[in-house]
Amino acid sequence: MVAHLTRLLGPAHLELAEETVQEAMLRALQTWPYQGVPENAAAWLFRVAHNIAIDAVRRNRTLGQKTDAIVAELFHYASVPPDDPYLEDQLRDDELRMIFMCCHPKIGRDARVALSLKTVGGFGVREIARAFLADDAAIAQRLVRAKRQIREGRLTLDMPRGHELKQRLDSVLEVVYFMFNEGYAAHAGADLIRQDLCLEALRLGRLVAASSIREPRVDALVALMALEAARLPARVDESGDLILLESQDHGRWDQRLIALGFHHFDRSMVGDEISEYHVQAAIAATHARAADSPSRDWPVILELYDQLLALNRSPVVALNRAVAVAKVRGPAEALAAIEPLANDPKLQGYYLLLAVRGHLLLDLGRPAEAAACFRAALECPCSEPERRFLRRKLEVAKGA
């Protein structure tokens, strides 16, 4: 509804669109407990939101000469049920245009993520702050800054074209994947997983993949997210503690999401483009094909990590590759592969580097050095489930 009303009112009036929808929700909370939930709750909210917008536009005449035309259009849509096939298509288009505007290069990267979650994902300020471990006030300020950039830059909901479309699409995919990763492994806090973030990122990715601007790398990203999300039920136990991939119960993996992932993976195999998302999706697909941990094809996974490292020399990719090296060539070679990473500034304070090193040292029969790594890892920022896992590994090292 926010995306739809923003198209009618204009991006400069995004806040008015948000306030209108909030007022419609408030009226629902005030009336539904006493009058009952309407048979078509979505249609009720849709109509009330449009009527509130009409009153606001007429009262303030904030849209100048366009006021009468916009009121007429609001009247028109107020009478159309939201499940009307034509309107459903229009609403999807509005939402797609909104996320592309939220990811405009004139808006800062952090603000793009917050704005996308707020205006397209429907997340509240407190939810966004919790996801990124920031103060409510800091997130609110990001949103204010982003909306000011929309107004001052006179950004529109028009879809970009040509080279600009490619740039903006890359930005959209970056934001969506960032959102997914934050949900898949929270950097701190009580929970390892924020499933709501993962599923919202997957929904937005599918929205782009279903549009006319879909490109192979979009399907590759959707495949990657679906295949990774399929493992979420098995990543933690009943106590919320971390379960490593090799110990996960494959029977708990979501087969529906795996099927969705392979569907988009097949669709991504068009043309000559090979993006990082393609290679990461191929790694996730190789994991998903394994019936159990012993049957996982680690030589293929290592080969794929070699390809990924050729596309992206990221130290995090190199660290993940080392895990595959250990499975194929042994812990000694894997340890040698990660030693240079200790001096990389991007991995300073990154607990996983120390945790992987500690794990390899344990496998090599060097428990004292492994314990030192786990102690150092506990000094780094991480979530509470990860911290409990590190403590368990430390006890194992001390007892070895």
Side-chain angles (χ1 to χ4, degrees), residues 59-70:
R59 184 170 60 251
N60 300 324
R61 298 197 70 82
T62 54
L63 298 158
Q65 295 179 344
K66 298 180 180 179
T67 296
D68 292 339
I70 290 174

Side-chain angles (χ1 to χ4, degrees), residues 71-98:
V71 167
E73 198 164 5
L74 286 165
F75 261 121
H76 166 70
Y77 280 107
S79 62
V80 181
D83 53 359
D84 176 270
Y86 168 77
L87 185 55
E88 282 188 335
D89 290 342
Q90 180 64 66
L91 291 174
R92 278 194 295 270
D93 185 61
D94 290 339
E95 198 171 12
L96 186 67
R97 289 170 180 271
M98 175 66 87

Side-chain angles (χ1 to χ4, degrees), residues 64-367:
Q65 295 179 344
K66 298 180 180 179
T67 296
D68 292 339
I70 290 174
V71 167
E73 198 164 5
L74 286 165
F75 261 121
H76 166 70
Y77 280 107
S79 62
V80 181
D83 53 359
D84 176 270
Y86 168 77
L87 185 55
E88 282 188 335
D89 290 342
Q90 180 64 66
L91 291 174
R92 278 194 295 270
D93 185 61
D94 290 339
E95 198 171 12
L96 186 67
R97 289 170 180 271
M98 175 66 87
I99 191 171
F100 268 79
M101 185 185 73
C102 290
C103 295
H104 196 285
K106 289 186 178 180
I107 300 174
R109 183 176 179 274
D110 287 348
R112 287 180 215 166
V113 177
L115 191 62
S116 298
L117 283 171
K118 180 74 163 62
T119 62
V120 189
F123 283 66
V125 170
R126 183 164 295 176
E127 289 177 296
I128 300 170
R130 175 174 173 250
F132 297 104
L133 303 170
D135 294 333
D136 291 5
I139 293 297
Q141 189 56 42
R142 276 188 213 175
L143 293 168
V144 168
R145 188 164 56 249
K147 291 171 186 176
R148 185 172 63 245
Q149 289 168 331
I150 290 173
R151 289 194 304 272
E152 294 176 353
R154 297 186 178 182
L155 305 189
T156 71
L157 287 171
D158 296 338
M159 290 297 291
R161 301 188 179 193
H163 180 65
E164 187 188 349
L165 174 59
K166 181 183 183 304
Q167 280 187 318
R168 195 90 65 85
L169 180 58
D170 288 340
S171 178
V172 168
L173 298 184
E174 179 189 13
V175 164
V176 168
Y177 194 36
F178 181 87
M179 194 185 300
F180 180 86
N181 279 331
E182 183 55 41
Y184 191 78
H187 290 116
D191 301 318
L192 176 69
I193 293 169
R194 285 290 310 275
Q195 188 168 348
D196 52 349
L197 279 177
C198 290
L199 296 181
E200 179 59 18
L202 180 58
R203 186 187 75 83
L204 293 178
R206 295 181 70 187
L207 179 70
V208 180
S211 72
S212 60
I213 59 173
R214 160 187 151 253
E215 293 193 12
R217 66 186 183 280
V218 180
D219 281 305
L221 175 58
V222 173
L224 169 61
M225 293 190 295
L227 292 168
E228 295 278 9
R231 301 205 298 263
L232 288 177
R235 288 196 69 224
V236 293
D237 62 17
E238 291 76 8
S239 303
D241 285 335
L242 169 66
I243 302 177
L244 293 181
L245 178 61
E246 60 193 31
S247 302
Q248 288 177 14
D249 177 2
H250 288 214
R252 295 186 63 196
W253 289 4
D254 190 322
Q255 295 303 312
R256 182 184 61 85
L257 284 175
I258 289 175
L260 177 68
F262 278 112
H263 168 70
H264 281 277
F265 190 53
D266 289 343
R267 288 192 2 155
S268 75
M269 297 303 171
V270 177
D272 299 326
E273 177 190 28
I274 297 294
S275 67
E276 292 179 45
Y277 300 128
H278 281 89
V279 184
Q280 290 187 67
I283 293 170
T286 306
H287 285 302
R289 288 191 187 99
D292 50 35
S293 288
S295 61
R296 189 165 287 117
D297 197 337
W298 283 107
V300 168
I301 293 171
L302 177 56
E303 184 179 338
L304 289 167
Y305 268 116
D306 288 339
Q307 293 179 31
L308 185 58
L309 200 58
L311 291 171
N312 181 359
R313 304 299 298 181
S314 160
V316 174
V317 172
L319 179 61
N320 290 332
R321 176 186 174 274
V323 176
V325 170
K327 297 292 185 181
V328 178
R329 301 174 188 163
E333 190 165 333
L335 186 62
I338 68 168
E339 291 299 356
L341 301 179
N343 299 319
D344 194 304
K346 292 181 180 178
L347 294 187
Q348 296 304 307
Y350 189 48
Y351 92 93
L352 270 176
L353 173 60
L354 293 160
V356 170
R357 190 171 187 277
H359 183 81
L360 295 172
L361 287 167
L362 263 182
D363 286 348
L364 289 168
R366 296 156 63 179

